[in-house]
Amino acid sequence: MTSAAARPGRVNEDFTGAVPTAAVLIDGAGIPGAESTCRHGVAWYASRLGGSLLSLLSLVPDRSLPALLAEAIEQVTSVHRDTCDVADPISPSATVAILRLSDGLIEHLVLGDSVVVLDRTDAAPLVVSDPREVIISRSYQSALEAVVDDSDEYRRILRDLRANRNQPGGFWVAKDDPRAADEAITGSCSVSGLTGAVLLSNGASRIVDRFRLADWPEVMAVLTSSGPAEIIRRVRQAEARHAVAADDATIAHCTDFGGT
């Protein structure tokens, strides 16, 4: 696992962790002004959600991944419901990626714009993603580019964008409503057909989907030969070269399923 904040001195709002049969990656999300709705902050929300999920994955292995995610969302929301405006559109939220080894299967779940890639022995990697946020965000992109970053108008447009969260016809993330877990992208495949798998936050997956520096087979090869830090290093170089604002970047690379 490797996780890097967007820049030195900035709090990393990603979280990743693992137990013997599962791995979790959380990518926290917030916008300027969110501190007025939640005194804890985005990094707190991401780490609490990730910790709750890891505990549930260990203690309740027979429940479905959406059910465990729903319970984790409810647990975290209960902790700060009385002190924070958890229902406000700009209160902290997060995207989620989960892998679990269970009875010879690798189960996966993706909610939001994190990515899971399954490296298959006899086919191209299977890329599991949830495109709904990207699709919705495109309709706001020109308006955001036309105003000054962090201005009142910029924040207003972001509020409008975030109002599409956890709404029919919009996109779904972990926030205050456990029912969002039912909208996650899920599936499973036999462990015998896999050589490895990786979970990536969108700050790391941009090596493929934004900068086109590699395709997914090349990413899996680099992970095997050099580890996740090398992927993030290449992303940081591309961000600097193209003057793109850096994002928190996190990768959890899972291998040796047969020995678990």
Side-chain angles (χ1 to χ4, degrees), residues 12-32:
N12 188 341
E13 295 174 342
D14 287 355
F15 170 94
T16 190
V19 292
T21 58
V24 167
L25 187 148
I26 309 293
D27 184 351
I31 64 175

Side-chain angles (χ1 to χ4, degrees), residues 18-248:
V19 292
T21 58
V24 167
L25 187 148
I26 309 293
D27 184 351
I31 64 175
E35 61 276 4
S36 66
T37 69
C38 177
R39 70 182 190 182
H40 301 96
V42 174
W44 175 90
Y45 182 85
S47 63
R48 288 298 291 258
L49 183 65
S52 292
L53 268 172
L54 288 174
S55 177
L56 290 166
L57 284 161
S58 293
L59 298 173
V60 199
D62 56 339
R63 294 182 64 190
S64 71
L65 295 183
L68 295 180
L69 176 56
E71 184 168 342
I73 292 170
E74 178 58 32
Q75 286 180 355
V76 179
T77 302
S78 295
V79 171
H80 71 140
R81 180 180 281 115
D82 294 338
T83 59
C84 307
D85 187 359
V86 297
D88 190 287
I90 65 170
S91 66
S93 64
T95 70
V96 181
I98 306 172
L99 283 178
R100 180 172 64 180
L101 177 61
S102 177
D103 296 327
L105 296 176
I106 290 292
E107 300 174 285
H108 60 262
L109 177 149
V110 172
L111 183 67
D113 59 7
S114 292
V115 179
V116 167
V117 183
L118 304 173
D119 201 12
R120 298 182 287 189
T121 56
D122 58 356
L126 174 64
V127 182
V128 184
S129 62
D130 180 354
R132 288 170 289 189
E133 182 173 0
V134 173
I135 293 170
I136 295 293
S137 297
R138 284 175 185 156
S139 63
Y140 290 83
Q141 194 62 40
S142 60
L144 287 170
E145 292 173 350
V147 299
V148 176
D149 286 358
D150 293 335
S151 65
D152 288 344
E153 180 63 9
Y154 185 88
R155 287 190 286 271
R156 184 195 66 77
I157 296 169
L158 277 182
R159 269 186 172 271
D160 288 347
L161 169 59
R162 293 293 169 87
N164 290 282
R165 291 187 303 185
N166 296 355
Q167 299 289 334
F171 58 94
W172 301 84
V173 293
K175 191 175 174 289
D176 60 299
D177 188 350
R179 292 173 295 182
D182 293 332
E183 301 293 333
I185 309 299
T186 61
S188 64
C189 61
S190 172
V191 70
S192 64
L194 299 179
T195 58
V198 63
L199 302 86
L200 307 97
S201 67
N202 69 338
S205 67
R206 56 175 49 179
I207 190 171
V208 174
D209 53 40
R210 179 160 189 171
F211 296 124
R212 313 293 181 189
L213 297 177
D215 59 18
W216 287 114
E218 291 169 331
V219 167
M220 300 308 295
V222 172
L223 286 169
T224 299
S225 64
S226 304
E230 174 61 18
I231 298 295
I232 294 177
R233 185 188 70 81
R234 297 184 188 187
V235 168
R236 292 289 183 251
Q237 287 183 333
E239 290 165 342
R241 186 163 58 248
H242 296 285
V244 171
D247 191 9
D248 299 334

